[in-house]
Amino acid sequence: MMKLYTMNAPPNPRKVDLLLKVKELDINDIHNLQVINVDIAKNEQNSPEFLAVNPLGLLPVLVLDDGTVLNDSHAICEYLDIRLAGNGKQVMGSDPIQRAKITAMSRNAEFHVLYNMMLAFQHGHPSRASVGNQVPGMAEESINRVKKALPYFDKLLSSHKYLLGDRLTFADIVLYIGLDFGRVMKFNPKDASVVGEHVARFYAQMSERFGKK
């Protein structure tokens, strides 16, 4: 049986959760998948038991039937996208060209939006002050990097519903999670004057479908 170590709040575990939702699968009701929730508020990711699974102490982690450990969210999503049929949709692409395009756009959304939002959180949120060294000004600089990149995504979304057309892909999941995570830093992804008209529309439609009720 596969084992998925996860938590539903942080951005990287959310990638897995939303990918499964697009495939119309309930993460807690998948044959041959045991979901193990790791409570980071209780520092369970640094417990000897979890560190024996992933010495990096990061989530999510997928342990395959043969004991293979996948400790990268993108790799986990790619594996589950192929292995689990669900509604038959391949969220990460069904041929080499599709997969290359989706991977490229996913990485753009990751590096320019999600990663910078996570940096802003790490260096600017009060809850992280006691965890590591916060660099003054890094949070503001990271948010500014996001704002600088958003016109690129806004232009793409001006001509179709999603980043790569009218079909939702993994790239849309990554961009949405990045925008949504920005709210913890008082970044408003619904404000068209900040994110752009089309990004705001995109965020609203994704939030309607995947936002926490």
Side-chain angles (χ1 to χ4, degrees), residues 152-169:
Y152 168 76
F153 298 102
D154 196 64
K155 184 176 181 179
L156 290 172
L157 291 164
S158 68
S159 56
H160 31 68
K161 188 175 182 180
Y162 298 109
L163 287 171
L164 292 169
D166 293 324
R167 172 174 164 265
L168 191 153
T169 72

Side-chain angles (χ1 to χ4, degrees), residues 162-163 167-177 202 206:
Y162 298 109
L163 287 171
R167 172 174 164 265
L168 191 153
T169 72
F170 186 67
D172 301 295
I173 289 174
V174 176
L175 179 60
Y176 166 67
I177 290 174
F202 165 83
M206 292 289 285

Side-chain angles (χ1 to χ4, degrees), residues 3-8 10-27 30 33 35 59-62 70-81 84 91-92 170 173-174 177 210:
K3 296 181 180 179
L4 177 65
Y5 295 81
T6 188
M7 187 179 183
N8 63 6
N12 284 323
R14 280 192 81 191
K15 294 177 192 172
V16 180
D17 184 45
L18 296 196
L19 176 130
L20 295 176
K21 286 181 178 178
V22 173
K23 296 174 76 70
E24 298 177 8
L25 293 169
D26 184 340
I27 193 172
I30 296 175
L33 179 66
V35 178
L59 297 167
V61 179
L62 180 66
L70 301 178
N71 62 357
D72 173 80
S73 59
H74 190 99
I76 292 170
C77 287
E78 188 164 2
Y79 180 83
L80 294 178
D81 191 36
L84 302 177
V91 186
M92 302 182 82
F170 186 67
I173 289 174
V174 176
I177 290 174
F210 299 115

Side-chain angles (χ1 to χ4, degrees), residues 54-195:
N54 182 17
L56 294 174
L58 299 173
L59 297 167
V61 179
L62 180 66
V63 181
L64 307 185
D65 300 329
D66 65 358
T68 298
V69 176
L70 301 178
N71 62 357
D72 173 80
S73 59
H74 190 99
I76 292 170
C77 287
E78 188 164 2
Y79 180 83
L80 294 178
D81 191 36
I82 295 171
R83 175 160 179 177
L84 302 177
N87 55 14
K89 293 180 179 178
Q90 292 284 300
V91 186
M92 302 182 82
S94 56
D95 63 55
I97 293 178
Q98 279 187 2
R99 296 184 75 81
K101 287 181 176 179
I102 292 169
T103 295
M105 190 58 65
S106 300
R107 302 303 271 176
N108 286 333
E110 180 101 33
F111 290 127
H112 295 291
V113 179
L114 177 55
Y115 177 68
N116 280 307
M117 289 299 191
M118 293 173 74
L119 274 179
F121 176 73
Q122 177 183 340
H123 289 280
H125 198 274
S127 67
R128 304 299 298 173
S130 61
V131 179
N133 294 325
Q134 292 185 319
V135 178
M138 178 62 78
E140 293 78 6
E141 174 61 23
S142 298
I143 294 293
N144 285 335
R145 289 174 187 168
V146 173
K147 292 178 179 178
K148 184 177 180 180
L150 284 176
Y152 168 76
F153 298 102
D154 196 64
K155 184 176 181 179
L156 290 172
L157 291 164
S158 68
S159 56
H160 31 68
K161 188 175 182 180
Y162 298 109
L163 287 171
L164 292 169
D166 293 324
R167 172 174 164 265
L168 191 153
T169 72
F170 186 67
D172 301 295
I173 289 174
V174 176
L175 179 60
Y176 166 67
I177 290 174
L179 293 168
D180 198 50
F181 189 63
R183 295 188 303 152
V184 301
M185 296 304 296
K186 303 191 186 320
F187 180 88
N188 184 3
K190 294 181 179 180
D191 187 345
S193 68
V194 174
V195 302

